[in-house]
Amino acid sequence: MQKLPGFRDFLPDDCAVRNYIFARWREVARRYGFVEWEGPILEPTELYKKKSGSEIVDQLFNFTDKGEREVAMRPELTPTLARVVAAHEREFKKPLKWFSIGRFFRFEKQQRGRLREHFQLNCDIIGETALAADIELLALCIDLLRAFGLTENDVVVRISDREFWTDFLRERNVPADRWDNLLQVIDKFGRESREKTIEKLGELADLVLKVLSEGGKSEKLDRLVDGLRDRGLAEFVDIDVRIVRGLAYYTGIVFELFDRAGNLRAIAGGGRYDNLIQQLSDDAVSMPALGFAMGDVVLGEVVNETPHALKQMQQAIAAERKIDIYVVIAKEKHRADALAQIQQLRDHGYRVDYPLTPTKVARQFQAAEDGGASLALLYGDEWPQVKVKNLTTREESLIPNKALLDSVAKFFNVPDSA
Ligand code: HAM
């Protein structure tokens, strides 16, 4: 039996990478005062049909359940977040700063950086219109990458403003019901043929293409970059009005994060969606919101391709994998004594391993090395003393078993083993 295309098995090495990514995501989000929440994996298909836009609806993993409901595996979190906030809005003080780490599903053509199942970190701020919130969110996004050892030479955030384009269209008297379609064409610029773009833009083609090639300016975007400059993060960002984002609900500042070399698809993307919560609320609760999602697939590739980030990850994974202590059972008659102390050591938080069945002493020491243990404890003829071996210096000492916990605590610099 083969696994389905675009899905992944996580063998221990893959899980270690995933845990490394999640730990940094969680740690940095907490540094910014975000709190964790989660939604269901399955939602009514209607939730995405309403607001996400046609591209994502075409990619839905959807089916009819046994209760005849039309349901979809979630392709993204934002509609769920809007639904949840609209329903529980009164229970929380604004602004909300919420993050979530979870699995998402899109029926995409499998290619580099794109699978049918991936993990995202979502960070959203709800209930704040001030540009300070956009700056804070971008700083968080950049700091997340810095936590992986990535610098402004490795990654770039391209920032834009949908209002730049809606103002542009309004000034040219383009009816508002055409805006969404035109923004989709701008989003696909460079991915679709030039002829197709020109045909879809119609009478606006010359003007729009001029802005796309020359770039655009906006006072709001300048203020945003200034805010990041105050934090020493301006080198990470470029203003780029070609970014409008594929999802239909964005209303203001939008951004995407890329590797500087430009080899890969976006690492993260997001922006303001000031109308979505109101549109999903029964009593039309108006609630400005902004957020982004960062995916594990492209991020993993960027880390792999950036030697200093890769080294940092490998060292962190090796340190996380290590056990502290290996218990060598040299004489089987002391197995029960050893197990009693293993239990105690584990209760005190040490990572302890030992042979489940009778094993030659040399093989047990090999297992201690393989597991990265710093200490070996040998239970043999010395009992009721235990032979303690420092596996780095090879020094050995005999410790009465009653004093073992204190001795181990001293070795690992644990202040109080009681
Ligand atoms: P998105 O740009 O569709 O935004 O996805 C965010 C990130 O998820 C992408 O930049 C990419 O790294 C990753 N990603 C998306 N699809 C795949 C895939 N098929 N395989 C691997 N990675 C993928 C959103 O989802 C918005 N809901 C983000 C947001 C949150 N906006 C406001 N709040």
Side-chain angles (χ1 to χ4, degrees):
M1 286 291 280
Q2 297 276 316
K3 64 182 163 54
L4 291 167
F7 286 80
R8 291 174 284 178
D9 295 324
F10 286 87
L11 300 178
D13 282 350
D14 308 308
C15 259
V17 169
R18 191 180 73 177
N19 291 344
Y20 172 77
I21 291 177
F22 286 6
R24 262 129 217 92
W25 280 352
R26 194 166 269 124
E27 198 267 312
V28 180
R30 292 292 303 125
R31 249 192 253 165
Y32 274 71
F34 280 61
V35 292
E36 191 160 358
W37 77 286
E38 177 58 301
I41 295 243
L42 212 57
E43 287 275 19
T45 307
E46 197 53 30
L47 183 66
Y48 306 109
K49 284 205 169 143
K50 262 189 180 163
K51 292 296 149 215
S52 290
S54 59
E55 191 168 322
I56 244 181
V57 170
D58 290 344
Q59 296 169 341
L60 282 179
F61 266 90
N62 57 323
F63 54 94
T64 312
D65 76 5
K66 288 176 181 166
E68 300 297 318
R69 287 176 210 92
E70 293 302 321
V71 294
M73 313 261 280
R74 61 182 184 183
E76 59 154 338
L77 191 63
T78 315
T80 301
L81 175 65
R83 173 179 66 68
V84 170
V85 171
H88 297 275
E89 181 270 322
R90 287 197 191 88
E91 296 160 38
F92 301 102
K93 283 213 179 94
K94 267 45 98 206
L96 309 181
K97 299 199 292 182
W98 284 11
F99 81 95
S100 189
I101 297 175
R103 212 184 270 252
F104 296 86
F105 305 87
R106 297 183 189 184
F107 199 86
E108 293 204 55
K109 192 161 177 284
Q110 187 182 341
Q111 51 184 294
R112 187 158 187 221
R114 281 292 174 275
L115 301 174
R116 292 189 172 167
E117 163 242 28
H118 70 284
F119 287 92
Q120 283 187 354
L121 163 72
N122 276 260
C123 296
D124 294 86
I125 302 178
I126 294 130
E128 184 55 71
T129 50
L131 194 68
D134 303 67
I135 298 170
E136 177 78 351
L137 192 76
L138 276 158
L140 166 57
C141 200
I142 294 167
D143 273 344
L144 280 161
L145 293 178
R146 290 180 61 230
F148 290 90
L150 297 166
T151 70
E152 66 272 26
N153 298 321
D154 307 315
V155 287
V156 58
V157 191
R158 306 226 150 87
I159 313 180
S160 174
D161 185 3
R162 273 207 178 190
E163 280 186 342
F164 168 87
W165 285 107
T166 49
D167 288 350
F168 173 95
L169 296 171
R170 191 180 301 108
E171 279 160 21
R172 279 152 192 87
N173 297 321
V174 178
D177 58 2
R178 275 187 69 197
W179 294 1
D180 267 357
N181 277 341
L182 291 168
L183 288 174
Q184 299 281 336
V185 181
I186 295 167
D187 177 58
K188 292 208 172 79
F189 178 71
R191 285 188 280 145
E192 256 177 10
S193 75
R194 202 174 165 83
E195 294 74 50
K196 207 168 193 175
T197 306
I198 291 173
E199 185 194 316
K200 285 185 181 169
L201 289 172
E203 78 288 3
L204 293 166
D206 285 350
L207 265 174
V208 170
L209 289 179
K210 190 163 180 283
V211 178
L212 287 174
S213 62
E214 290 174 3
K217 276 200 76 60
S218 111
E219 184 261 335
K220 200 207 291 180
L221 287 170
D222 288 343
R223 275 193 292 138
L224 190 74
V225 177
D226 285 345
L228 290 168
R229 188 166 296 113
D230 294 342
R231 303 173 185 223
L233 299 175
E235 299 303 315
F236 279 91
V237 297
D238 279 345
I239 293 177
D240 184 347
V241 294
R242 285 171 300 183
I243 304 285
V244 293
R245 307 271 299 135
L247 294 158
Y249 45 68
Y250 292 111
T251 54
I253 297 288
V254 281
F255 56 91
E256 279 179 343
L257 239 137
F258 292 93
D259 60 309
R260 276 274 179 202
N263 291 335
L264 301 163
R265 306 199 41 174
I267 307 166
R272 259 201 186 271
Y273 49 100
D274 282 346
N275 303 330
L276 184 65
I277 297 175
Q278 184 166 27
Q279 285 161 352
L280 290 175
S281 155
D282 292 335
D283 21 325
V285 177
S286 168
M287 190 72 61
L290 62 159
F292 67 83
M294 183 176 288
D296 69 318
V297 182
V298 186
L299 177 64
E301 299 229 16
V302 175
V303 169
N304 266 330
E305 288 194 353
T306 313
H308 49 271
L310 181 60
K311 191 169 166 210
Q312 175 186 314
M313 179 175 81
Q314 286 166 338
Q315 284 173 346
I317 288 176
E320 169 58 30
R321 274 227 173 134
K322 270 162 63 96
I323 55 164
D324 298 318
I325 299 166
Y326 194 91
V327 168
V328 175
I329 302 175
K331 286 277 149 60
E332 279 302 317
K333 66 177 177 194
H334 295 304
R335 181 172 279 272
D337 301 318
L339 281 168
Q341 292 212 296
I342 287 169
Q343 185 68 33
Q344 268 188 331
L345 289 163
R346 286 177 173 166
D347 281 350
H348 279 78
Y350 298 106
R351 298 175 177 187
V352 189
D353 208 356
Y354 69 98
L356 288 173
T357 53
T359 306
K360 286 205 176 91
V361 168
R363 282 192 58 191
Q364 297 189 50
F365 274 106
Q366 188 57 50
E369 298 278 340
D370 294 347
S374 316
L375 271 191
L377 307 179
L378 189 131
Y379 291 75
D381 290 337
E382 299 83 1
W383 186 261
Q385 300 199 90
V386 178
K387 195 193 272 182
V388 177
K389 182 167 180 182
N390 179 328
L391 292 173
T392 318
T393 63
R394 308 271 142 198
E395 279 170 274
E396 292 181 355
S397 50
L398 282 177
I399 306 287
N401 73 74
K402 297 235 159 40
L404 187 75
L405 264 180
D406 283 343
S407 180
V408 167
K410 211 172 279 162
F411 177 83
F412 285 105
N413 277 327
V414 179
D416 180 15
S417 73

